[in-house]
Amino acid sequence: MSAPSPLAGRRILVVEDEALLAMMIEDLLSEIGCIVVGPASHLAAAEAIAAEAELDGALLDVNLGAAQVYPVADCLRRRGVPFAFVTGYGRHGLDAAYASHPTIQKPFKPSSFPREAARALAEAAALPPP
Amino acid sequence: MRWIGRLRFLLSLDGLLDGRLGAASLPARSAITLAAVALGAAVRSGLGPWGGDGPYVALLPAVLFVTLVCGTAPGLVSVLLAIAAAWLPWTTAPSAADMGGILLFAMVAVMEVAAISALLAAYAGSRSALLREGELNARLSRSEARFRDVVEAAPDAMIIVDRRERIVLVNAEAERLFGHPRTMLLGQPLDRLMPERFHAVHAGRVTDFRGERGPRRMGDGADLFGLRHDGVEFPIETNVSVLRGDGDDLVCSVVRDLTSRRESQERQTLLIRELNHRVKNTLASVQSIAHHTFKSTGDPLAFSEALEARLIALSQSHDVLTRNDWAGATVRDIVAEQLSPYDHGPEPPFTLVGPTVVLGPNRAVTLGMALGELATNAAKFGALAANGTVDVSWERRREGAETWLRLRWTEHTGAPVAAPTRRGFGTRLIERSLAAGLRGAAHLEFGAEGVTCVFDFPLLPGEA
């Protein structure tokens, strides 16, 4: 057994509108001992959780149907919760305000996803406060 | 009185030139010549002593007439005939004085013929020059009319300005594009048709351009804009060429509206981004399906069967959406697409009852995947494996301020069905699709008749 993940025991919000993908992320995070909050599949639910819930981090899908996830990102940034984007567009598709924010590229390798998530969230936590 | 007019024409120079007195053929010309000379000779002898041995004055009108009516050669023939006629009275050789008279007559008559011929030739020359000029003018105005028709019919706006940048010609498309009637444009500075920020740049370009030859394209790539009468700007490209004239060069601009081209470029960019997003999401879904299927099936054969069934369910959901341009799908179509592979007999083994409800694209795929799990299960263990039927019904219901959809899947097998021993990925996929993808809940029961499942989820504002 490898060393426990830095994310073990952390409360992570997952925002993802593809049900299948949300399930996989939830499973992968649960396997390393994460407590998954959500998954939220649409903007309103994600905003409600981001504003209220006790969170140690968040993984955000950028496109939620017709909406984009940036209001949730803004809210988390205000609260000082580290987060990373999970997107098929890569960095170039991100809003200018988050152009250099840590991202996880979709599709990802399930085996390395927990490691990537831990890296991205650590990077996000190291960013200077706005 | 028409004959007077006709006579006047016949006696006019034009009439004579056109040979209307019948002088066209050789016999007619000969007859006229002979008759005229005979008449002259008769008049001369009729004059008796006044005609005397005097010069042959009485024959000069005959020569004049023949030359006018029949032309130069008959005129000269008439001179010879006149001399012969004058000779006839003598039986003896003429005296020296008579010879002098004849010679004088001949000279005067030939000069007469020459003068009349020259006069007629000069007139004919100026007349044909006039005719040619008239024809040339007519051809010129025809070609100008044709040029104007072409300019009017052109699908692009055309604006011609003089050296002071004043508009001298516009076509119908220019009126339409800029929204000004022609009368409001002619004589106006070209600046009127462009936003103010381009005025200075334009003036500079004009100076550069007047010296060049050949057409030049502007606005291709560079952002050029036209200004409509209502103050709205629109993107254009323009081809400018100098029309060289004597000292007065005109500049012709052909202006094309790029609005719809720009729009379709933007649409295409958006579509490609959208396509990229969907492909990535679909691949991620496939990855997730493979991941979960692998974890919930024991052996490779079961894995490949289950994976195949799920990929087909995903593909069928996409088919429904593609038929509707990915705008969404009706619940009926989503259910029917998942059940249709099992419709082999004369009667479909399922019934579908419910109102028209349209779901958004992602939610349609989620519902399709959940229903696909139910259908696969029914085909393996339930109603679709045992000649039973599946009844699917759905209805809207109010839940506070929201509208919810309740969909009921009921299998009638006619034989008891054993509940599965463990909760597989299928059950989890159904329950969690409903929870994560549709914000609802699924209630699954393994009854004696087969599976009964109730989906309950809120409809989004656009869907209700």
Side-chain angles (χ1 to χ4, degrees):
Chain A
M1 209 53 206
S2 55
S5 164
L7 295 181
R10 302 295 177 86
R11 298 174 57 81
I12 307 290
L13 165 64
V14 174
V15 180
E16 171 60 64
D17 70 334
E18 288 281 334
L20 284 164
L21 207 55
M23 282 172 61
M24 180 160 75
I25 294 175
E26 194 181 350
D27 282 3
L28 293 171
L29 292 179
S30 301
E31 278 166 16
I32 57 163
C34 255
I35 300 156
V36 172
V37 183
S41 66
H42 60 107
L43 190 60
E47 278 185 291
I49 298 171
E52 312 251 312
E54 188 189 317
L55 298 171
D56 299 311
L59 299 173
L60 311 178
D61 176 26
V62 175
N63 278 63
L64 302 172
Q68 294 200 303
V69 81
Y70 299 115
V72 178
D74 296 341
C75 176
L76 293 171
R77 183 134 86 163
R78 274 196 304 277
R79 288 185 59 190
V81 176
F83 60 91
F85 294 108
V86 183
T87 172
Y89 293 134
R91 276 209 179 142
H92 303 293
L94 286 179
D95 193 271
Y98 292 102
S100 54
H101 207 84
T103 60
I104 297 169
Q105 180 72 31
K106 248 197 235 178
F108 46 75
K109 258 174 104 174
S111 54
S112 61
F113 181 78
R115 215 164 41 244
E116 273 202 64
R119 172 205 46 89
L121 288 177
E123 255 178 57
L127 285 176
Chain B
M1 302 305 249
R2 269 174 56 198
W3 64 272
I4 293 185
R6 175 138 181 89
L7 195 66
R8 195 175 287 161
F9 169 73
L10 289 176
L11 293 178
S12 71
L13 283 172
D14 286 328
L16 292 171
L17 279 173
D18 293 346
R20 295 304 167 95
L21 282 177
S25 67
L26 185 63
R29 269 192 259 182
S30 310
I32 288 170
T33 308
L34 280 173
V37 174
L39 188 66
V43 169
R44 181 177 176 257
S45 60
L47 285 175
W50 292 300
D53 328 320
Y56 309 84
V57 179
L59 283 160
L60 284 177
V63 172
L64 172 84
F65 179 76
V66 170
T67 310
L68 273 178
V69 170
C70 300
T72 309
L76 291 174
V77 171
S78 75
V79 173
L80 293 176
L81 284 174
I83 291 168
W87 209 299
L88 282 179
W90 282 282
T91 47
T92 57
S95 65
D98 287 332
M99 283 299 285
I102 290 168
L103 204 61
L104 184 68
F105 167 74
M107 282 170 63
V108 171
V110 167
M111 272 174 1
E112 187 188 11
V113 170
I116 290 170
S117 297
L119 188 79
L120 282 177
Y123 179 74
S126 75
R127 189 177 72 152
S128 70
L130 272 173
L131 276 174
R132 255 203 314 279
E133 197 180 313
E135 205 172 285
L136 224 60
N137 277 336
R139 209 181 296 162
L140 206 66
S141 61
R142 268 203 306 276
S143 103
E144 191 175 333
R146 209 172 295 151
F147 161 74
R148 280 188 190 267
D149 286 348
V150 169
V151 168
E152 277 308 304
D156 291 329
M158 294 177 91
I159 302 162
I160 298 183
V161 297
D162 62 14
R163 66 163 55 244
R164 293 177 307 137
E165 289 290 299
R166 303 264 163 191
I167 298 171
V168 294
L169 186 147
V170 293
N171 66 354
E173 179 60 16
E175 289 182 287
R176 194 196 65 74
L177 190 58
F178 291 94
H180 293 286
R182 197 169 301 224
T183 47
M184 300 293 287
L185 288 175
L186 295 177
Q188 296 294 318
L190 187 61
D191 280 1
R192 256 191 91 162
L193 301 179
M194 48 185 96
E196 213 171 321
R197 63 178 188 281
F198 289 110
H199 288 187
V201 180
H202 175 72
R205 281 207 190 128
V206 167
T207 319
D208 291 349
F209 181 63
R210 290 257 177 193
E212 282 184 23
R213 294 198 162 272
R216 187 216 271 184
R217 179 171 288 222
M218 292 182 176
D220 193 28
D223 284 330
L224 267 187
F225 288 87
L227 182 67
R228 243 199 308 270
H229 78 289
D230 53 9
V232 175
E233 296 181 12
F234 57 97
I236 56 169
E237 81 178 357
T238 167
N239 253 335
V240 184
S241 46
V242 176
L243 312 174
R244 303 261 174 224
D246 341 322
D248 186 23
D249 291 348
L250 300 176
V251 175
C252 176
S253 309
V254 180
V255 180
R256 183 169 292 175
D257 185 359
L258 293 185
T259 308
S260 63
R261 197 195 298 174
R262 289 274 159 88
E263 276 171 3
S264 71
Q265 273 167 357
E266 273 163 30
R267 235 186 344 260
Q268 196 176 352
T269 311
L270 250 168
L271 272 177
I272 290 171
R273 276 180 64 100
E274 180 69 22
L275 182 69
N276 182 34
H277 178 66
R278 274 181 202 153
V279 169
K280 288 263 166 71
N281 265 358
T282 304
L283 287 177
S285 298
V286 169
Q287 189 180 33
S288 170
I289 291 170
H291 175 80
H292 284 108
T293 306
F294 178 72
K295 289 180 76 176
S296 61
T297 43
D299 62 294
L301 190 67
F303 167 74
S304 101
E305 262 179 25
L307 182 67
E308 215 166 88
R310 281 168 187 145
L311 291 184
I312 287 170
L314 182 65
S315 152
Q316 281 165 338
S317 299
H318 284 187
D319 285 345
V320 179
L321 287 169
T322 304
R323 284 203 293 274
N324 296 319
D325 293 334
W326 277 77
T330 64
V331 170
R332 174 178 298 273
D333 287 347
I334 298 164
V335 180
E337 190 70 35
Q338 296 299 336
L339 283 172
S340 59
Y342 309 105
D343 182 8
H344 304 302
E347 289 283 313
F350 51 85
T351 62
L352 312 177
V353 182
T356 303
V357 178
V358 179
L359 297 186
N362 269 353
R363 292 157 54 82
V365 171
T366 305
L367 182 63
M369 290 300 293
L371 288 165
E373 289 302 317
L374 288 175
T376 309
N377 182 68
K380 265 190 184 162
F381 311 110
L384 296 174
N387 287 328
T389 57
V390 180
D391 295 328
V392 184
S393 64
W394 60 95
E395 66 202 1
R396 291 191 186 89
R397 63 182 186 82
R398 301 294 298 174
E399 174 92 24
E402 289 181 320
T403 303
W404 283 54
L405 191 83
R406 176 170 287 166
L407 183 143
R408 205 181 290 274
W409 169 289
T410 316
E411 293 179 28
H412 303 282
T413 326
V417 169
T421 48
R422 67 190 186 98
R423 288 163 56 81
F425 169 59
T427 315
R428 274 203 322 143
L429 188 136
I430 291 168
E431 286 173 352
R432 290 178 46 193
S433 294
L434 262 289
L438 297 171
R439 268 204 304 147
H443 187 72
L444 253 166
E445 261 178 32
F446 296 89
E449 287 272 295
V451 171
T452 303
C453 184
V454 178
F455 294 166
D456 217 3
F457 58 92
L459 294 174
L460 298 180
E463 299 173 335

